[in-house]
Amino acid sequence: MDTDRITGAAKELGGKVQGAVGSATGDKSTEAEGKARELGGNVQNAYGQAKDAVKDAASNAADAAKDAYNNAGSYGSKAQDAAKNASDTLKDAYNNPDRYVGGARDAVQNAAGAAQGYAQDVYNNSGDYYRQGVDTVTHKVEENPLVALLVAGAVGYGLALLIHGRG
């Protein structure tokens, strides 16, 4: 299994989690980053699958070409030469799958462009998202000042524990 498949699947899962957290908290920036990360992982996974498919096809064809080459003695030297050329080409495809997955590379570049556009949109609107978040937090603090004070105290206590330890 190609490492791009594993890495892509991990990024895809991380992006889904990040997007869900952003959605649950109402943080549009985190949600957008998660979706972009998920898309990138999906594309990387697809690229790895394409590389694996090329390797598998090349391996199977190389085996068939090798069999043909080994059994070509009865068909003369032209058949042997053709089988050897096919075997060499297929070995090259197996050893260099990147050369044979140009379509996957183009798909990755197109998806990266789309993700970049999406990220640019999020960046351009980040001020609006920030203001919405500040307004929401301000409203909640004004409605429940005691709860906000308790939450802030708990967060401060947790940070102090992280920084200074239980020591």
Side-chain angles (χ1 to χ4, degrees), residues 17-28 30-31:
V17 170
Q18 185 178 9
V21 167
S23 179
T25 61
D27 185 352
K28 299 291 184 186
T30 301
E31 184 178 2

Side-chain angles (χ1 to χ4, degrees), residues 9-10 19-20 22 28 35 55 65 70 78 94 98 118 122-124 127 133 146 153:
K28 299 291 184 186
K35 288 183 180 186
K55 278 182 129 178
N70 291 336
K78 286 186 179 182
Y94 179 80
D98 290 338
Y118 190 64
V122 168
Y123 177 76
N124 291 339
L146 182 60

